[in-house]
Amino acid sequence: LQECSGEDDFVLRLSAFGRRVMDPYSLVQRRNLYRIALTEAIRDVGRGGELYGRGPGRVLNSLARFLLESRQAGVLLEGEHHHLASQMLALLNGSSGLHDSFTPEERSESRPSAQVSRVVAQFLAGVEVPSHDAHQPI
């Protein structure tokens, strides 16, 4: 995620991030990596933490940095940036459904873009970003 230049740019970049996270193939890969990390964490706590830091932790920190930089650029965000990033990822993960159990045809018929628009709108409503475009589908 790169720094944004205003509220509209913020919404566009956040939506683009959400679409990448919600991409059906990305979901399958991410879930498989979580399973590997969980298995490793059971065997070796340090190894599980290292895997988390290089994968999901890196995504979380990148999103948190983007939110902090957006706030510094003038986007009105209420709350601590790591907490906000965690909330956004939780919303995306919660709305991802069970895409990995679908066939490729069913995955292509799903509407991740519409889901992302709803998640971004829900996130923005929760953090009170005052933008006239915040609730419009992108």
Side-chain angles (χ1 to χ4, degrees), residues 11 14-15 18 88 115-125 134 138:
V11 173
L14 191 60
S15 296
M88 179 64 184
Q115 288 175 319
V116 169
S117 293
R118 283 192 299 273
V119 167
V120 168
Q122 184 179 10
F123 175 76
L124 296 177
I138 297 176

Side-chain angles (χ1 to χ4, degrees), residues 16 24 26 33 37 48 56 59 69 108 114 133:
S26 174
L33 288 173
V59 172
E69 290 170 355
S108 66
D133 291 330

Side-chain angles (χ1 to χ4, degrees), residues 37-104:
L38 182 59
T39 301
E40 287 298 317
I42 291 168
R43 292 183 192 151
D44 179 352
V45 174
R47 182 94 165 140
E50 181 183 331
L51 286 170
Y52 176 83
R54 291 177 183 245
R58 184 176 284 177
V59 172
L60 176 66
N61 289 332
S62 176
L63 180 57
R65 186 174 48 254
F66 168 74
L67 295 173
L68 177 63
E69 290 170 355
S70 297
R71 178 181 292 144
Q72 292 169 343
V75 175
L76 301 176
L77 294 170
E78 296 293 326
E80 194 272 328
H81 57 282
H82 277 95
H83 179 74
L84 293 174
S86 179
Q87 292 297 315
M88 179 64 184
L89 287 172
L91 288 169
L92 288 167
N93 287 329
S95 107
S96 66
L98 300 172
H99 285 64
D100 58 348
S101 64
F102 296 157
T103 67

